[in-house]
Amino acid sequence: MALAEQLSTTALDVAWIRSQFPSLAQTVNGLPAVFFDGPGGTQVPRRVIDAISGYLAHDNANTGGAYQTSRDTDRMLAEARAAMGDFLNCDADEIVFGANMTSLTYAMSRSIGRELGPGDEIVLTLLDHDANFSPWKALEEKGVTIRAARFNGADCTLDMQDLARQITSRTRLVAVGFASNAVGTINNVAEVVRLARGAGALSYIDAVHYAPHGLIDVRALDCDFLACSSYKFFGPHMGVLYGKREHLQRLEPYKVRPNTNSIPNCWEWGTLNHECIAGIKACVEYWEELGRHANPSATTRREAIVAAHSSVHLHEWALTEKMIAGLLAIPGLKLYGIGDPRRFNERCATFAVRVEGHTPLQLATKLGERGFFTWDGNYYALNVTEQLDVERTGGFLRIGLVHYNTAKEVERMLAALGEIVRLWF
Ligand SMILES: Cc1ncc(COP(=O)(O)O)c(C=O)c1O
């Protein structure tokens, strides 16, 4: 069955989905706003907005106090951890909240780095966002050797042979992205975890870009750490780290003395953003509701999340087919990353392009005037833009789709981009 047909038989109810996101109704210069900026941050459903304001209106307090709002806050934090545990398939005490993925990763690299020195090695990849690169590279200060696996320029996939070569008995940690925020490649992280484990090294997965597009199962992956950011999967601006309990217990965090020694709180610095954590709980509940729309017979929250992801996957795949076919028909346009429909299981709906004669900023600006929100530049995937030699000339135009985008938006975007390119030639 063709994907377009499969799509019509799935239960992804895009009209219902869009009705949940108030910001999607905006206009720009009288034209409907089209949010193709998901890789930079997604919109939030009404229940997330309500949870944040509801927390501030009723429960606003610090933790551990002997009174009602503080107890309510403690309960909400426990529920939010359990919800994220269901989202990632781990236990609640393996969930660490933080300001964002970057700061959580720096905190973890500092702690892991306490035990490392000359002779130890860390393997990174050149396809990663800098947030899963620089925090580890900083350990060169301690004499740690950093190695970086290459990616294939032609299709922007990780060079797995090179990665395997870099991992040796001296490797202590392998850090890899689940999906590239620049070119959309989905990496074979299960294989990377296996290679790391085989060498006795820890694995650290950056799932920030992958989380809105695909199901994450840290138990099945058997990774040691996995970081993501709720603002990329329809929640508020915060970061979430999964750490295997044994590591969270054994490693020594940098922390202030009065803070508890018990996990996961010992990994959390200062007072957290409670209202946003209330929003994270609501965000997971949104995923659950989405899944129950797709599969009303889902019983547990995790089952509903699994169902949500399979319908999201089919929807995004169909949008990807339409978008790539249309992009490749635009004169002078070059797509970076996988363009072959037979390999769309190795990519998500994030498209990096350049058009001859136009800078990415010019294109993003012209599209922005027409209501299309895209991005230009390197989006902190600096090694990618450097290796592909586009860093000096403005990086890429990035068009990023998520489940609330529609086929009509893709058609309008292709028409607008085609017109911009034609008008300027
Ligand atoms: C793949 C990837 N990793 C890491 C980050 C950094 O996340 P945060 O902003 O939560 O620090 C981003 C942000 O764009 C990203 O796309």
Side-chain angles (χ1 to χ4, degrees):
M1 186 164 47
L3 264 154
E5 285 168 51
Q6 279 185 42
L7 180 62
S8 65
T9 63
T10 66
L12 190 72
D13 181 351
V14 183
W16 174 80
I17 288 167
R18 290 183 67 86
S19 74
Q20 305 300 301
F21 289 79
S23 58
L24 298 182
Q26 287 175 71
T27 56
V28 177
N29 298 327
L31 297 163
V34 176
F35 289 79
F36 284 163
D37 61 342
T42 48
Q43 302 305 301
V44 295
R46 166 66 63 197
R47 64 189 307 153
V48 169
I49 301 167
D50 290 347
I52 294 172
S53 58
Y55 174 81
L56 290 170
H58 303 293
D59 298 328
N60 194 12
N62 216 321
T63 52
Y67 57 96
Q68 182 174 302
T69 52
S70 181
R71 288 194 187 111
D72 287 346
T73 295
D74 287 336
R75 187 172 342 107
M76 179 278 291
L77 290 174
E79 288 169 0
R81 270 188 227 285
M84 271 312 298
D86 284 346
F87 192 75
L88 299 178
N89 203 24
C90 62
D91 290 332
D93 66 351
E94 295 175 306
I95 294 290
V96 178
F97 290 120
N100 47 54
M101 178 275 182
T102 306
S103 35
L104 284 165
T105 303
Y106 264 110
M108 198 44 79
S109 77
R110 283 181 67 99
S111 290
I112 291 174
R114 280 181 139 151
E115 301 182 343
L116 304 184
D120 293 323
E121 298 186 359
I122 290 182
V123 176
L124 310 175
T125 93
L126 294 179
L127 198 54
D128 271 69
H129 185 285
D130 216 58
N132 204 27
F133 194 88
S134 288
W136 306 112
K137 190 157 167 45
L139 295 178
E140 280 177 333
E141 284 170 1
K142 300 208 60 191
V144 174
T145 299
I146 301 296
R147 303 197 175 280
R150 290 193 302 256
F151 66 91
N152 306 304
D155 60 1
C156 299
T157 54
L158 261 189
D159 182 338
M160 292 296 281
Q161 281 180 351
D162 186 45
L163 185 90
R165 261 195 309 273
Q166 310 274 1
I167 299 174
T168 69
S169 58
R170 291 183 298 279
T171 309
R172 300 288 165 257
L173 179 135
V174 181
V176 65
F178 213 136
S180 158
N181 68 315
V183 289
T185 313
I186 296 173
N187 296 320
N188 185 352
V189 283
E191 176 62 7
V192 179
V193 170
R194 202 187 62 74
L195 290 169
R197 184 159 311 285
L202 296 172
S203 51
Y204 192 99
I205 312 294
D206 171 4
V208 171
H209 189 69
Y210 186 71
H213 303 293
L215 183 71
I216 298 172
D217 185 337
V218 290
R219 277 206 187 107
L221 263 183
D222 201 24
C223 56
D224 296 295
F225 298 95
L226 180 141
C228 57
S229 306
S230 48
Y231 73 96
K232 310 279 190 175
F233 56 91
F234 320 113
H237 287 96
M238 276 201 69
V240 182
L241 175 71
Y242 156 77
K244 245 186 201 172
R245 185 179 298 108
E246 67 197 71
H247 301 314
L248 295 183
Q249 280 169 342
R250 194 190 62 74
L251 289 162
E252 201 186 331
Y254 282 91
K255 64 184 246 334
V256 294
R257 289 173 301 160
N259 189 10
T260 176
N261 286 320
S262 57
I263 67 159
N265 312 75
C266 62
W267 289 96
E268 294 171 335
W269 286 353
T271 305
L272 292 171
N273 187 334
H274 299 160
E275 53 273 31
C276 280
I277 295 174
I280 291 179
K281 176 174 170 258
C283 164
V284 177
E285 287 164 355
Y286 165 72
W287 276 99
E288 179 181 2
E289 196 179 358
L290 180 61
R292 293 194 192 287
H293 267 257
N295 177 9
S297 60
T299 50
T300 64
R301 179 161 58 194
R302 177 69 187 171
E303 272 177 34
I305 291 167
V306 172
H309 270 296
S310 26
S311 59
V312 163
H313 175 71
L314 281 178
H315 176 66
E316 290 188 8
W317 186 306
L319 295 183
T320 298
E321 283 182 338
K322 196 181 247 316
M323 182 66 95
I324 289 193
L327 287 173
L328 295 179
I330 293 176
L333 183 142
K334 176 165 181 192
L335 173 79
Y336 291 79
I338 294 167
D340 179 351
R342 287 166 302 185
R343 296 181 59 204
F344 282 175
N345 58 331
E346 293 173 65
R347 69 138 49 249
C348 52
T350 303
F351 312 104
V353 300
R354 287 179 62 96
V355 184
E356 232 175 279
H358 307 268
T359 68
L361 176 59
Q362 286 168 336
L363 293 171
T365 306
K366 289 280 170 208
L367 285 167
E369 287 161 6
R370 289 162 167 80
F372 298 95
F373 302 166
T374 61
W375 216 276
D376 67 281
N378 64 30
Y379 352 101
Y380 286 22
L382 185 59
N383 290 316
V384 177
T385 50
E386 283 181 348
Q387 180 175 322
L388 295 174
D389 197 23
V390 295
E391 179 59 23
R392 291 169 297 111
T393 50
F396 310 110
L397 173 75
R398 180 180 66 186
I399 308 160
L401 276 58
V402 291
H403 75 306
Y404 52 59
N405 292 121
T406 66
K408 209 168 212 81
E409 288 180 327
V410 172
E411 283 159 17
R412 284 189 46 222
M413 160 87 190
L414 291 168
L417 188 57
E419 188 189 273
I420 290 165
V421 169
R422 265 196 316 280
L423 283 179
W424 283 10
F425 263 116

